[in-house]
Amino acid sequence: MARATARHILVKSKEVCEDLKKQIETGADFAAVAREHSLCPSGKQGGDLGAFGPGQMVKEFDQAVFTGEVGKVLGPIQTQFGFHLLEVTSRTE
């Protein structure tokens, strides 16, 4: 069964999400940005979500984790919680 590890940053608006993505793509540390800006409790751990399988996260998030490129910052991804930046740190098929 497929498994993945990922980290994310949750914010309220698409604009903030896009701005944070630019910061990370130009050298800002993902974990540091998560600790400072993420609204999710996982932000305290640099956005780390640990390991999980398909169907354990909301649909939009799940699809990005199991189809997106490993190691690349993905997003903004909109869910009922807000807007996410997502980085898949590992995935097994």
Side-chain angles (χ1 to χ4, degrees):
M1 176 183 227
R3 300 282 294 165
T5 59
R7 55 190 185 167
H8 83 129
I9 299 168
L10 172 65
V11 294
K12 291 261 187 235
S13 77
K14 185 176 182 179
E15 294 74 26
V16 170
C17 202
E18 289 170 342
D19 180 56
L20 296 177
K21 183 175 184 178
K22 286 178 191 163
Q23 290 179 37
I24 293 165
E25 288 175 339
T26 58
D29 179 67
F30 190 104
V33 173
R35 281 191 287 275
E36 186 175 339
H37 296 281
S38 186
L39 302 174
C40 180
S42 69
K44 291 181 178 77
Q45 290 81 43
D48 186 19
L49 296 171
F52 52 91
Q56 290 186 272
M57 300 289 180
V58 294
K59 185 182 105 185
E60 302 88 349
F61 202 86
D62 203 58
Q63 183 177 359
V65 168
F66 290 99
T67 62
E69 187 178 332
V70 175
K72 183 176 181 195
V73 178
L74 308 172
I77 299 163
Q78 185 175 9
T79 70
Q80 74 258 32
F81 302 107
F83 292 86
H84 305 259
L85 288 181
L86 168 67
E87 182 184 37
V88 181
T89 51
S90 71
R91 184 172 59 225
T92 57
E93 299 305 324

